[in-house]
């Protein structure tokens, strides 16, 4: 089979949701349908129910480097599906955001009782920045939830996406009868059952078929009215709009009861995009002509002292990867080969001989990778579209053991390369502020600095609102910022200027007084001059 044909078989995606909406349950059910696992209960939630760092560290130690749920690869109907896992805990949201740079589409799970939640909004913002195609799965229809029309209104308003329901529920909670597939005119009957994997489906001639009335009585009238309304409100489904991230098809179901999941998976296989060419600092990288290339989007370190290795997760963007072949590490300008590249199939990890664009492989790493690093057949380019997002919690790093200064420097440098936190420095590096998305990260950093690098530190509160990257045309534009706000100015690891605002008010003032400067909430890893999201 040609390289291109192999690539076109790949569908690489992530399931995203606010914690508890049903991401783990849906993942498991998708694996059950595909035959990748045989019994329910095989997929462990990566949620950390308690927020104590010790729990997290224990879990991480147990998971070790063999964390099999990072990527789940399975075959279904001749497609190779790569499902990338995203951390459930919001303190590790940055990891999730980065994972979204490695997928070609997402399934967004919404709890029909709760509707749009905090994490849903943040995750969708990231998807919109990248025009990622989205399929929406409204879950837990076996519960009394929000009225479907009102719920879809809420989704459209809060998430700024255009929706198109492909199915529609009849009843909800105790009166839930099932869902009608609007395009196939078929009805899937709901049975509360955690084991059954096939839906009971009956095909009708149209929504006006009298058989519907014979089956559901007045329910059929409500269903018809609802669907007429839906057809009136929402534009027809258009696969090109979906692929451009402009329209999101919607399904209803109950993952716990295996309901609506097969329909979701079958539609996913039909419409979800396979890998497409990606933009780089050298222009568009085509799937086949450019040979092999890929980038690192996640680095997973082993906390088990007996196995101190790290795995760099590489998303292949073009061509074919081969074991033991030399590839060009663009940032280090070095040739590297990988004797033990790993793939993840179901629950187990295995060494692979080759992999294609769309696949995610794990590369054993002894410290040569940073987030955003690119490997190629020889060309020197970096992939675009791998953003860093503004941290939200800041603490100043203090060395508590002056004899271990070098160890601390090395440790902080490595952990921030992994993307665990962001490092901002001032006064030629003498003052260090660490920024994270969630406070749990500080405990993880402290633990790892001590156990892996033998360095001791403490974190001093540094109450701030956001870190914004400062973009300007020429030096004069930042003259007043440099003199009046010098206390708030730092450099990130790549020597980009960063303004750490104490509050929204102080940010507004800085913006007002420095009209030629842009303050950005996110930045590209590989090129400061690329499109960046300006602070609202
Ligand atoms: P997450 O990964 O998005 O955080 O969610 P997860 O799948 O762990 O599901 C969160 C809770 O919601 C679980 O219950 C799960 O059983 C339940 N759930 C998922 N899908 C459905 C559904 O379709 N209907 C109903 N009624 N519940 C659903 P839990 O009590 O927190 O955990 P567990 O003890 O059942 O594992």
């Amino acid at each position: 089979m040609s390289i291109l044909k192999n690539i076109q078989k790949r569908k690489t995606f992530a399931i995203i949701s606010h914690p508890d909406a049903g991401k783990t349950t849906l993942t498991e059910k998708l694996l059950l349908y595909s035959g990748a696992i045989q019994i329910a209960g095989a997929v462990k939630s990566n949620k950390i129910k308690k927020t104590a760092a010790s729990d997290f560290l224990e879990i991480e130690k147990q998971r070790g480097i063999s964390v099999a749920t990072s990527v789940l690869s399975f075959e279904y109907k001749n497609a190779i599906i790569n499902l990338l896992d995203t951390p459930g805990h919001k303190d590790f949201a940055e990891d999730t955001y980065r994972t979204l740079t490695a997928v070609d589409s997402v399934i967004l799970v919404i709890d029909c009782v709760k509707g749009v939640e905090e994490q849903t909004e943040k995750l969708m913002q990231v998807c919109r920045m990248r025009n990622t195609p989205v399929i929406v799965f409204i879950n837990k229809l076996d519960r009394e939830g929000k009225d479907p029309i009102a719920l879809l209104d809420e989704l459209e308003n809060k998430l700024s996406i255009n929706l198109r329901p492909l199915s529609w529920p009849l009843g909800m909670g105790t009166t839930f009868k099932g869902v009608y597939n609007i395009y196939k005119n078929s009805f899937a009957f709901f049975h509360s059952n955690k084991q059954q994997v096939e839906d009971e489906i009956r095909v009708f001639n149209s929504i006006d078929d009298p058989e519907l009335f014979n089956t559901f009585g007045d329910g059929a009238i409500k269903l018809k009215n609802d669907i007429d309304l839906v057809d009136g409100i929402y534009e027809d489904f258009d696969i090109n709009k979906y692929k451009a991230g402009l329209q999101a098809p919607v399904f209803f179901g109950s993952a716990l009861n295996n309901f609506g999941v097969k329909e979701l998976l079958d539609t996913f296989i039909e419409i979800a995009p396979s890998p497409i060419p990606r933009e780089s600092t050298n222009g568009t990288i085509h799937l086949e002509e450019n040979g092999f290339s890929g980038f690192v989007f996640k680095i997973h370190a082993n906390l088990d002292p007996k196995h101190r290795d790290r795995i760099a997760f590489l998303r292949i963007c073009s061509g074919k990867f081969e074991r033991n072949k030399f590839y060009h590490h663009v940032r280090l300008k070095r040739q590297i080969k990988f004797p033990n590249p790993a793939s993840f199939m179901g629950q187990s990890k295995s060494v692979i001989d080759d992999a294609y664009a769309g696949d995610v492989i794990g590369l054993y790493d002894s410290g040569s990778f940073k987030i955003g690093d690119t490997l190629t057949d020889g060309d020197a380019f970096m992939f675009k579209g791998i953003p860093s997002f503004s941290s939200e919690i800041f603490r100043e790093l203090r060395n508590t053991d002056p004899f271990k200064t070098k160890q601390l420097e090395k440790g902080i440098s490595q952990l921030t390369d992994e993307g665990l936190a962001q490092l901002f420095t001032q006064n030629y590096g003498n003052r260090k502020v660490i920024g994270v998305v969630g406070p749990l990260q500080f405990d993880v950093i402290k633990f790892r600095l001590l156990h892996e690098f033998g360095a001791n530190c403490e974190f001093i509160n540094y109450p701030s609102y956001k870190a914004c990257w400062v973009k300007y045309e020429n030096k004069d534009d930042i003259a007043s910022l440099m003199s009046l706000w010098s206390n708030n100015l730092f450099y990130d690891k790549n020597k980009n200027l960063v303004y750490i605002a104490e509050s929204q008010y102080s940010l507004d003032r800085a913006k007002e007084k420095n009209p030629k400067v842009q303050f950005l909430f996110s930045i590209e890893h590989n090129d400061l001059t690329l499109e960046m999201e300006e602070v609202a």
Side-chain angles (χ1 to χ4, degrees), residues 105 133-135 237-245 247 249 271-273:
S105 69
V134 179
I135 297 179
F237 177 64
D238 178 338
I239 189 162
N240 294 322
K241 284 190 180 160
Y242 157 68
K243 284 190 173 170
Q247 190 189 48
I271 65 172

Side-chain angles (χ1 to χ4, degrees), residues 204-266:
F204 293 88
N205 292 325
S206 72
I207 190 68
D208 297 309
D209 192 332
E211 271 306 304
L212 266 167
F213 187 79
N214 294 341
T215 314
F216 299 114
D218 286 349
I221 300 172
K222 162 123 182 59
L223 186 65
K224 180 183 157 37
N225 288 342
D226 278 357
I227 288 177
D228 284 347
L229 192 66
V230 165
D231 283 340
I233 303 175
Y234 300 100
E235 262 185 51
D236 273 350
F237 177 64
D238 178 338
I239 189 162
N240 294 322
K241 284 190 180 160
Y242 157 68
K243 284 190 173 170
L246 298 173
Q247 190 189 48
V250 181
F251 290 93
F252 294 85
S254 167
L256 188 65
N257 292 289
N258 283 307
F259 184 73
V261 179
K262 184 169 187 298
E263 190 179 22
L264 175 72
L265 184 58
D266 285 340

